[in-house]
Amino acid sequence: MAQRVVSIGSRSGLHARPAATFVQAASQASLPVTIAVDGKPPVAADSMLGVMTLGAGYGDQVTLTADGDRAEAVLEELAALLSKELDA
Amino acid sequence: MSPTSTTMTGHGVSPGLACAPLARMTPPVVTDPDEAPGDNPGHEVQRVRQALAAVAAQLSTIAAGGTAGAILEAGAAMASDPALVQAAAHHIGRGMPTAHSLSLAIDAYCAQLEEAGGYMAERAADLRDIRNRAVALLMDVPMPGIPRPGHPFILAAEDLSPADTAQLAGSDVVGLLTEKGGPTGHTAILARSLALPAVVGCPQAAALPDGTPVLLDGRAGTVEAHPSPQRRRQALEEARTRTQPRTKGPGRTADQHAVALLTNIGTPADALRAAQADNEGVGLFRTEFLFLDRREPPTLEEQIQAYSQVLTSFEGRTVTVRTLDAGSDKPLPFLQLPREDNPALGLRGLRTATLRPGILETQLKALVTAQRRTGARMRVMAPMVSTAEEAAHFAGLARSHGVQTVGIMIEVPSAALAADRLLQHVDFASIGTNDLAQYTLAADRTSHALSHLLDPWQPALLNLVAKVCGAAEALGRHVGVCGEAAADPLLAPVLAGLGVSSLSMAAPAVAAVRDALAQLALEQCRSLAAAVLDAAEPAAARATAQEMGEAFRAAAHDREGL
């Protein structure tokens, strides 16, 4: 099982457009990925509603988890996306 | 006998008066838990999936273009969420009818969003809109939405979704009234961008039947049902004078004292619209709006092109450019500013230049090159200047790049208090009343609960304006005002009386301000200003200005009659 911890790079937080961009990328991944905020149960990364209700703000740390062949590579890509400013 | 007039209140979120019969949104269907369930659960789940996909496609189509784009894109992503299909499939699996299963699934998510509060709670309205659309498809009933009564109307609704509001442009809507919603909701934002008077968060509006004549005041936040004929005339009069200015050309008091009427622009589209209107140029060109979406700093050549375009469209008029005004609340990703706990008090405006000096220098180079290419009349000013050293530093830098007319914004109380020292270094000042109010009254501009403190008629704020004007007069400098205050026709003569020589506002506000100035002589403006500075609070200041203005106008009328 692979995991990545990353800080949210979008100043508006993981809301609206940044969340939509992330969810879209996660839905295209070759294996299921979950995302969690400290102390809360993880949600499916391809669920817009799940991701929005995490309420992750700018600078907050989130944990991405996936299991499978290409898990490392997939998480690498999604983590890089989350660390960028997506509200543009 | 006609019904008596009743008045209710909500939050006024987009100014203006509108008077028209009320029309309600086509109400969404309520799903029935006792409807017969489909025969084949697998097939029913597939129907839900298709309905949601169709709604996502609708939202994406409406999202293409328009202010609501980002919100609707998020809506399309919510409608595409596989978790919704799964949750609906769960209810279908336990024998519930299809449409009702989807309602239950979505309502559970709405409850979660509402519990989270704030921004999330406002997204619950978007999600309900998705439910209503998908349910209408599943049940094959008309899509809920904007009514088309065939005459001007005030749109009433529980709340509006971004999809609804995006369809407002081009309809006969003259005002918006919602039972729910707050000042940061999309209804408020979109109403302002469409210049539609709007009142939100008015629960009593639910009791008004379709067709009720309503007078809505989007500034005061009041809604009058069955307004008296006199009030209706007043509203129509206001709407008429707003659209049909009595005066033309440069801003002048009754005795021909010049007060330049300028516009605020951000995007190239703003610039084009404003350039076609009757005004004397630009008092505030917010250059950061050209580069808000950028991760890489804009290149010199690219900036030259953007500025040249704006300068050319205002040929023969003055364009006042504000250098990049970024901050943690208005981030320019390419500046890579650190995260701050108090962005309003942090690295903003000119302060960012200490962190990234190269960006300001490139901008100045681009501005001067664009000015030379177009031969335009250009002035350049810096935002968020706090001290005389900062003013001197910016003026030195701008002049060394070849800027001929250099100015500063006065938005920080320290700059107003020490204006006599700051203005020695520059040619002009422009007072940004929105920020100056925020910092003087210590009231966050984004807080609705503090809006009374952000009133441009606050005596402390007007006293600072007077102080800046006094310092400027002694040094022979021009002072302008940009911000909410400049667009208030009642306040314009007061500002002129204080010594302000230009007013900059959104282009549609110019006509009413010009009319107001033309009715009073400079000496009368000065008496008005003196009386307003003495007022104890904003309401008294307004009342004083109103009464004195009327008395002066009545006297002028009498003289004409003789």
Side-chain angles (χ1 to χ4, degrees):
Chain A
M1 197 172 69
Q3 274 199 336
R4 275 285 184 297
V5 178
V6 60
S7 302
I8 301 298
S10 296
R11 281 168 197 276
S12 59
L14 200 49
H15 286 155
R17 187 177 275 176
T21 309
F22 169 73
V23 167
Q24 200 188 6
S27 343
Q28 283 157 7
S30 51
L31 71 181
V33 178
T34 63
I35 176 170
V37 178
D38 263 355
K40 288 192 208 163
V43 301
D46 65 354
S47 165
M48 178 67 177
L49 290 159
V51 170
M52 274 176 58
T53 43
L54 288 176
Y58 173 63
D60 286 355
Q61 295 208 323
V62 297
T63 307
L64 297 175
T65 309
D67 201 359
D69 266 0
R70 292 196 60 252
E72 289 288 346
V74 164
L75 292 192
E76 192 60 50
E77 199 179 306
L78 291 176
L81 191 65
L82 283 180
S83 66
K84 284 198 291 193
E85 173 57 71
L86 296 173
D87 202 3
Chain B
M1 207 183 90
S2 63
T4 41
S5 154
T6 49
T7 302
M8 42 194 80
T9 53
H11 296 298
V13 293
S14 179
L17 285 183
C19 188
L22 194 108
R24 292 201 166 269
M25 295 282 291
T26 305
V29 206
V30 178
T31 54
D32 180 2
D34 298 325
E35 192 196 355
D39 297 333
N40 177 346
H43 174 72
E44 296 306 309
V45 173
Q46 186 57 23
R47 283 182 59 219
V48 168
R49 189 174 286 123
Q50 282 165 354
L52 285 170
V55 171
Q58 278 177 4
L59 295 178
S60 300
T61 312
I62 310 172
T67 326
I71 301 171
L72 289 164
E73 245 174 60
M78 283 195 267
S80 313
D81 193 330
L84 286 181
V85 181
Q86 277 164 29
H90 165 76
H91 294 294
I92 291 172
R94 61 186 186 95
M96 295 304 281
T98 311
H100 193 63
S101 294
L102 182 60
S103 286
L104 290 174
I106 291 187
D107 289 350
Y109 276 105
C110 287
Q112 265 187 46
L113 289 171
E114 273 166 353
E115 202 177 313
Y119 173 89
M120 301 280 192
E122 283 170 7
R123 296 286 80 73
D126 307 351
L127 192 53
R128 275 202 194 89
D129 174 58
I130 291 168
R131 176 197 64 193
N132 296 340
R133 286 166 179 271
V135 162
L137 287 173
L138 284 172
M139 299 178 68
D140 199 18
V141 296
M143 198 54 79
I146 310 286
R148 307 271 170 203
H151 56 75
F153 65 100
I154 288 174
L155 180 67
E158 190 181 352
D159 202 353
L160 292 172
S161 72
D164 299 329
T165 35
Q167 289 169 8
L168 289 179
S171 80
D172 289 329
V173 175
V174 295
L176 301 177
L177 172 59
T178 65
E179 292 150 36
K180 295 186 175 171
T184 59
H186 46 256
T187 303
I189 296 164
L190 292 164
R192 286 194 289 267
S193 81
L194 294 171
L196 279 177
V199 173
V200 304
C202 180
Q204 308 101 301
L208 297 174
D210 229 45
T212 310
V214 163
L215 195 164
L216 177 145
D217 184 336
R219 191 181 295 279
T222 55
V223 180
E224 226 176 297
H226 305 290
S228 66
Q230 190 196 349
R231 290 280 293 148
R232 283 187 214 201
R233 270 197 303 279
Q234 199 184 337
L236 288 174
E237 179 67 14
E238 205 225 54
R240 195 184 58 80
T241 50
R242 244 192 343 204
T243 51
Q244 294 185 349
R246 290 185 292 270
T247 53
K248 277 185 188 159
R252 295 277 186 269
T253 58
D255 55 342
Q256 300 302 307
H257 169 76
V259 180
L261 299 174
L262 308 171
T263 60
N264 298 344
I265 60 168
T267 61
D270 278 352
L272 280 179
R273 265 198 304 275
Q276 285 157 6
D278 184 5
N279 56 59
E280 294 164 69
V282 176
L284 175 63
F285 175 15
R286 303 176 168 111
T287 51
E288 65 278 5
F289 277 77
L290 297 174
F291 308 117
L292 275 182
D293 56 341
R294 303 293 294 272
R295 291 191 189 87
E296 296 297 319
T299 64
L300 177 69
E301 202 42 55
E302 179 184 3
Q303 293 191 55
I304 294 172
Q305 216 170 1
Y307 303 146
S308 300
Q309 203 184 340
V310 170
L311 291 175
T312 309
S313 54
F314 282 93
E315 202 185 352
R317 290 180 267 180
T318 303
V319 175
T320 313
V321 182
R322 180 176 71 186
T323 57
L324 291 176
D325 186 19
S328 300
D329 63 329
K330 210 165 36 169
L332 295 177
F334 62 83
L335 284 176
Q336 300 172 332
L337 298 177
R339 187 189 190 193
E340 294 172 309
D341 288 333
N342 285 313
L345 302 178
L347 277 168
R348 292 190 49 184
L350 184 62
R351 297 168 181 188
T352 61
T354 56
L355 209 66
R356 310 260 178 270
I359 289 180
L360 176 58
E361 286 172 28
T362 307
Q363 182 170 33
L364 290 171
K365 246 180 245 162
L367 284 167
V368 170
T369 312
Q371 189 266 325
R372 289 185 181 149
R373 278 188 194 169
T374 57
R377 282 195 270 166
M378 181 183 77
R379 315 192 293 171
V380 178
M381 62 182 182
M384 278 294 277
V385 177
S386 317
T387 64
E389 290 98 301
E390 285 175 4
H393 177 75
F394 176 74
L397 189 69
R399 291 204 178 100
S400 75
H401 280 85
V403 176
Q404 284 164 354
T405 313
V406 182
I408 49 169
M409 293 276 298
I410 296 199
E411 300 159 284
V412 183
S414 64
L417 292 167
D420 54 345
R421 265 163 264 159
L422 273 76
L423 289 180
Q424 287 176 16
H425 303 288
V426 293
D427 306 306
F428 72 97
S430 181
I431 306 177
T433 49
N434 299 349
D435 268 331
L436 188 56
Q438 149 162 288
Y439 295 125
T440 302
L441 282 298
D444 188 334
R445 270 174 70 174
T446 59
S447 163
H448 186 75
L450 302 178
S451 57
H452 60 290
L453 295 176
L454 297 163
D455 191 322
W457 289 81
Q458 281 288 352
L461 177 68
L462 292 175
N463 272 284
L464 283 181
V465 173
K467 177 140 185 108
V468 175
C469 289
E473 202 190 340
L475 290 164
R477 306 286 196 262
H478 281 292
V479 176
V481 166
C482 54
E484 205 80 346
D488 180 346
L490 188 58
L491 194 50
V494 174
L495 295 172
L498 289 173
V500 168
S501 59
S502 69
L503 298 169
S504 190
M505 65 208 89
V510 168
V513 168
R514 178 171 34 227
D515 285 350
L517 282 172
Q519 291 174 353
L520 299 174
L522 181 60
E523 209 39 58
Q524 295 173 325
C525 295
R526 288 188 179 134
S527 326
L528 221 63
V532 163
L533 286 183
D534 271 345
E537 34 97 28
R542 273 199 186 85
T544 302
Q546 186 85 46
E547 282 162 26
M548 286 181 70
E550 274 166 23
F552 286 139
R553 282 190 290 272
H557 247 14
D558 288 351
R559 274 198 305 278
E560 275 169 24
L562 284 175

